[in-house]
Short mmCIF file of all heavy atoms in Angstrom, two decimals:
data_model
loop_
_atom_site.label_atom_id
_atom_site.label_comp_id
_atom_site.label_asym_id
_atom_site.label_seq_id
_atom_site.Cartn_x
_atom_site.Cartn_y
_atom_site.Cartn_z
N SER B 66 7.36 24.29 -5.01
CA SER B 66 8.45 25.07 -4.40
C SER B 66 8.07 25.51 -2.99
O SER B 66 7.28 24.84 -2.32
CB SER B 66 8.78 26.26 -5.29
OG SER B 66 10.03 26.80 -4.92
N SER B 67 8.62 26.59 -2.48
CA SER B 67 8.38 27.01 -1.10
C SER B 67 7.10 27.80 -0.96
O SER B 67 6.56 28.34 -1.92
CB SER B 67 9.56 27.86 -0.62
OG SER B 67 10.69 27.07 -0.38
N GLY B 68 6.62 27.87 0.30
CA GLY B 68 5.45 28.69 0.57
C GLY B 68 4.36 27.92 1.27
O GLY B 68 4.53 26.78 1.66
N ASN B 69 3.23 28.60 1.45
CA ASN B 69 2.07 28.02 2.12
C ASN B 69 0.91 27.87 1.15
O ASN B 69 0.79 28.62 0.18
CB ASN B 69 1.60 28.94 3.27
CG ASN B 69 2.63 29.04 4.37
OD1 ASN B 69 3.66 28.39 4.32
ND2 ASN B 69 2.35 29.86 5.35
N LYS B 70 0.06 26.89 1.45
CA LYS B 70 -1.17 26.72 0.68
C LYS B 70 -2.25 26.26 1.63
O LYS B 70 -2.02 25.37 2.45
CB LYS B 70 -0.97 25.70 -0.44
CG LYS B 70 -2.15 25.54 -1.36
CD LYS B 70 -1.80 24.65 -2.51
CE LYS B 70 -2.94 24.56 -3.50
NZ LYS B 70 -2.57 23.69 -4.65
N GLU B 71 -3.42 26.88 1.52
CA GLU B 71 -4.50 26.54 2.43
C GLU B 71 -5.70 26.03 1.64
O GLU B 71 -6.02 26.55 0.57
CB GLU B 71 -4.90 27.78 3.23
CG GLU B 71 -5.90 27.53 4.33
CD GLU B 71 -6.13 28.77 5.19
OE1 GLU B 71 -5.19 29.50 5.46
OE2 GLU B 71 -7.30 29.00 5.58
N ASP B 72 -6.37 25.00 2.19
CA ASP B 72 -7.58 24.46 1.57
C ASP B 72 -8.49 23.97 2.68
O ASP B 72 -8.25 22.89 3.24
CB ASP B 72 -7.23 23.33 0.60
CG ASP B 72 -8.45 22.82 -0.15
OD1 ASP B 72 -9.57 23.35 0.08
OD2 ASP B 72 -8.31 21.86 -0.95
N GLY B 73 -9.47 24.78 3.02
CA GLY B 73 -10.37 24.42 4.10
C GLY B 73 -9.63 24.30 5.42
O GLY B 73 -8.95 25.22 5.85
N ARG B 74 -9.73 23.13 6.06
CA ARG B 74 -9.08 22.92 7.36
C ARG B 74 -7.60 22.55 7.21
O ARG B 74 -6.92 22.36 8.22
CB ARG B 74 -9.81 21.81 8.13
CG ARG B 74 -11.25 22.17 8.50
CD ARG B 74 -11.89 21.08 9.36
NE ARG B 74 -12.01 19.80 8.67
CZ ARG B 74 -11.35 18.69 9.00
NH1 ARG B 74 -10.48 18.70 10.02
NH2 ARG B 74 -11.54 17.57 8.32
N PHE B 75 -7.13 22.39 6.00
CA PHE B 75 -5.77 21.93 5.75
C PHE B 75 -4.86 23.06 5.27
O PHE B 75 -5.25 23.88 4.43
CB PHE B 75 -5.76 20.82 4.70
CG PHE B 75 -6.54 19.59 5.10
CD1 PHE B 75 -7.90 19.48 4.75
CD2 PHE B 75 -5.95 18.57 5.82
CE1 PHE B 75 -8.63 18.35 5.12
CE2 PHE B 75 -6.67 17.46 6.19
CZ PHE B 75 -8.01 17.34 5.85
N THR B 76 -3.64 23.10 5.82
CA THR B 76 -2.62 24.05 5.38
C THR B 76 -1.31 23.29 5.16
O THR B 76 -0.88 22.55 6.05
CB THR B 76 -2.37 25.16 6.43
OG1 THR B 76 -3.57 25.90 6.62
CG2 THR B 76 -1.28 26.11 5.95
N ALA B 77 -0.74 23.47 3.99
CA ALA B 77 0.56 22.86 3.68
C ALA B 77 1.62 23.94 3.66
O ALA B 77 1.40 25.01 3.13
CB ALA B 77 0.50 22.12 2.35
N GLN B 78 2.78 23.63 4.25
CA GLN B 78 3.91 24.56 4.27
C GLN B 78 5.14 23.85 3.73
O GLN B 78 5.37 22.69 4.04
CB GLN B 78 4.20 25.04 5.69
CG GLN B 78 3.19 26.01 6.25
CD GLN B 78 3.60 26.55 7.62
OE1 GLN B 78 4.57 26.08 8.22
NE2 GLN B 78 2.85 27.51 8.12
N VAL B 79 5.92 24.59 2.93
CA VAL B 79 7.17 24.06 2.41
C VAL B 79 8.29 25.04 2.71
O VAL B 79 8.17 26.23 2.38
CB VAL B 79 7.10 23.81 0.88
CG1 VAL B 79 8.46 23.37 0.35
CG2 VAL B 79 6.05 22.77 0.54
N ASP B 80 9.34 24.56 3.33
CA ASP B 80 10.53 25.38 3.59
C ASP B 80 11.70 24.68 2.92
O ASP B 80 12.30 23.76 3.50
CB ASP B 80 10.77 25.49 5.10
CG ASP B 80 11.98 26.37 5.43
OD1 ASP B 80 12.74 26.71 4.50
OD2 ASP B 80 12.16 26.72 6.60
N LYS B 81 12.00 25.08 1.71
CA LYS B 81 13.06 24.40 0.94
C LYS B 81 14.44 24.67 1.55
O LYS B 81 15.33 23.83 1.42
CB LYS B 81 13.02 24.84 -0.52
CG LYS B 81 11.82 24.30 -1.27
CD LYS B 81 11.98 24.51 -2.77
CE LYS B 81 13.08 23.63 -3.32
NZ LYS B 81 13.29 23.85 -4.75
N SER B 82 14.62 25.80 2.19
CA SER B 82 15.94 26.09 2.78
C SER B 82 16.27 25.11 3.89
O SER B 82 17.42 24.74 4.10
CB SER B 82 16.00 27.53 3.30
OG SER B 82 15.06 27.72 4.34
N SER B 83 15.24 24.64 4.59
CA SER B 83 15.43 23.66 5.68
C SER B 83 15.12 22.24 5.23
O SER B 83 15.29 21.31 6.01
CB SER B 83 14.55 24.02 6.87
OG SER B 83 14.84 25.30 7.36
N LYS B 84 14.65 22.09 4.01
CA LYS B 84 14.22 20.78 3.48
C LYS B 84 13.19 20.16 4.44
O LYS B 84 13.36 19.02 4.92
CB LYS B 84 15.41 19.86 3.28
CG LYS B 84 16.38 20.36 2.21
CD LYS B 84 17.41 19.29 1.88
CE LYS B 84 18.36 19.72 0.80
NZ LYS B 84 19.24 20.83 1.19
#
Side-chain angles (χ1 to χ4, degrees):
Chain B
S66 196
S67 286
N69 294 357
K70 185 173 184 179
E71 187 173 322
D72 184 1
R74 296 185 296 113
F75 299 92
T76 299
Q78 287 185 353
V79 175
D80 182 349
K81 290 192 69 182
S82 63
S83 301
K84 296 190 178 67

